[in-house]
Amino acid sequence: MQTSPAHAAHHDDREIETLQEFDATVSARGTLAGFRVQAVDLTDRTKELLASDTAGAVFLGCPMREDAAAKIRTDGALVFPPVPDLPFDPYRGHLYSPHELFAGLDKGYERTPDALAYAWFQLTKADGDIFASMLRSVHDDAISDALDELLYGTRVVGVMGGHAMARGTEAYAGAARLGRELTRAGFTVATGGGPGAMEAANLGAYAAPFEDAMLDKACELLAGAPSFAPSITDWARAAFEVRSRWPKGGSSVGIPTWFYGHEPPNAFASHIAKYFANATREDGLLARSNAGIVFLPGAAGTVQEIFDNATPNYYESRGEPTPMVLVNRAHWTERLPAWPLLQALARERAMEDRIALVDRIEDAPEALKRLAG
């Protein structure tokens, strides 16, 4: 998922998200009028800011010297200063990486940016502070913008499933093989970004460039810490051990949330779009899975995702219905009979040809291809 020319074209030409882009814009255009500068440290660019026209520009969370800030405000620019003592940057221009969210893991998960952001969320959610809720919304909007830029022009297959699926199980290995096969077929795998089935699919995508035996070895290594309970630290360390033993794995996307604070993000998604608002995250994950979704066995969350996805397919509110593949007949017809209801909904509608129930996870890629027609 490297930046393709198509992706670059989609990046809003007025958005500046790195110091390199800032320098290139100033030297090529000689003006910053009307630009949006997002989370770029401009402390050492005072000369350029003082010399450039910044009328109508917007600076989102850019550290700068006071004289530069005063001058650009006089020009008519809007300056949203960085917010001190926040464990996250609400104006960020890019998605998270696993290393960023898990920085400081050697001192224990509680000290990582991921855990600190969750602690801040718990604290501010409880007291209902309007400023805090605004910062969460700005952050989530910045994440959505970065996610759109990343996925522009790609074919995304969502893999949904519960967080309870343990490492070391046959189900986990199967979900990992699914992620690997989808990635090798040229799809971008997107998951809810958490543990269990979600981690397995991201791991499979990570394993795609390596020989097949690597995935078996990785699963074996991970089985030593089967779940994120009791210790998120041990669970995450095992994943980073796999990453360091086999560096430069394949790309995929994880879209987790701090709303479920007990559920950490997994370290195998190369790009992590982490949200505070679970509703924004759920809708964003489903809406961006433009090449279909595979639903592995899960509980309430996965059932919700099935019907959150079925609704726009039923009304065709996002255009043509996208493929939906449910895996494990017994699970979806007996334990949680979502399949008969989905079939009844689909009857005599365009989505009828876009749904399938398969027994084995190995049958999912073939079903996806068939439904895509």
Side-chain angles (χ1 to χ4, degrees), residues 163-173 196 226-227:
H163 63 246
M165 186 186 282
R167 293 165 169 178
T169 61
E170 186 38 51
Y172 183 95
S227 168

Side-chain angles (χ1 to χ4, degrees), residues 21-361:
E21 286 178 12
F22 179 87
D23 292 341
T25 303
V26 169
S27 76
R29 310 223 183 172
T31 178
L32 290 163
F35 277 85
R36 313 279 181 253
V37 191
Q38 203 175 336
V40 180
D41 189 341
L42 300 174
T43 318
D44 296 333
R45 294 295 184 275
T46 304
K47 185 162 72 47
E48 290 79 358
L49 289 170
L50 293 176
S52 301
D53 178 14
T54 57
V58 179
F59 292 83
L60 299 165
C62 299
M64 63 179 79
R65 291 211 346 233
E66 197 38 62
D67 50 342
K71 180 264 178 190
I72 65 180
R73 282 196 183 98
T74 307
D75 277 356
L78 262 181
V79 181
F80 291 75
V83 183
D85 305 323
L86 267 191
F88 62 95
D89 179 359
Y91 307 112
R92 53 181 304 121
H94 303 278
L95 299 182
Y96 293 99
S97 71
H99 289 288
E100 187 181 356
L101 286 175
F102 284 105
L105 183 66
D106 49 344
K107 298 188 184 76
Y109 171 71
E110 295 64 38
R111 307 285 290 278
T112 64
D114 186 61
L116 295 172
Y118 175 64
W120 175 88
F121 180 30
Q122 287 303 94
L123 200 68
T124 56
K125 197 174 65 171
D127 64 17
D129 176 12
I130 178 71
F131 182 55
S133 67
M134 188 191 82
L135 291 172
R136 293 198 293 269
S137 299
V138 169
H139 169 275
D140 286 2
D141 210 44
I143 289 292
S144 289
D145 182 58
L147 189 57
D148 284 338
E149 286 173 10
L150 177 80
L151 294 179
Y152 185 73
T154 58
R155 293 182 306 150
V156 181
V157 173
V159 179
M160 311 294 155
H163 63 246
M165 186 186 282
R167 293 165 169 178
T169 61
E170 186 38 51
Y172 183 95
R177 288 192 296 270
L178 172 68
R180 183 175 68 184
E181 187 166 340
L182 291 169
T183 303
R184 286 176 176 174
F187 295 108
T188 294
V189 169
T191 76
M198 300 172 272
E199 179 187 60
N202 288 129
L203 166 65
Y206 188 86
F210 302 99
E211 76 286 353
D212 287 1
M214 171 268 176
L215 186 54
D216 302 333
K217 290 181 197 143
C219 285
E220 217 169 287
L221 209 147
L222 292 168
S227 168
F228 62 98
S231 166
I232 294 176
T233 306
D234 293 347
W235 173 84
R237 274 186 186 146
F240 282 105
E241 169 66 26
V242 168
R243 289 186 60 114
S244 65
R245 198 173 289 195
W246 293 279
K248 299 194 171 73
S251 293
S252 67
V253 178
I255 307 183
T257 174
W258 279 294
F259 181 77
Y260 299 125
H262 65 284
E263 202 177 279
N266 78 71
F268 293 111
S270 49
H271 302 87
I272 300 175
K274 191 151 191 181
Y275 287 92
F276 288 106
N278 188 44
T280 311
R281 167 247 188 176
E282 284 282 3
D283 189 60
L285 175 54
L286 299 168
R288 288 177 178 84
S289 298
N290 55 13
I293 300 184
V294 179
F295 297 91
L296 301 175
T302 312
V303 172
Q304 181 183 345
E305 285 163 344
I306 290 173
F307 293 104
D308 275 348
N309 194 54
T311 304
N313 282 345
Y314 179 89
Y315 291 113
E316 298 185 55
S317 55
R318 290 186 189 134
E320 267 189 47
T322 49
M324 296 176 69
V325 179
L326 277 58
V327 176
N328 189 319
R329 192 171 297 275
H331 187 85
W332 295 121
T333 61
E334 293 158 33
R335 279 193 287 282
L336 295 172
W339 173 251
L341 179 52
L342 185 63
Q343 264 189 311
L345 265 180
R347 204 159 289 134
E348 292 173 16
R349 301 193 74 96
M351 70 183 278
E352 190 166 24
D353 301 331
R354 299 289 169 92
I355 64 170
L357 174 66
V358 299
D359 246 337
R360 296 161 51 251
I361 211 161

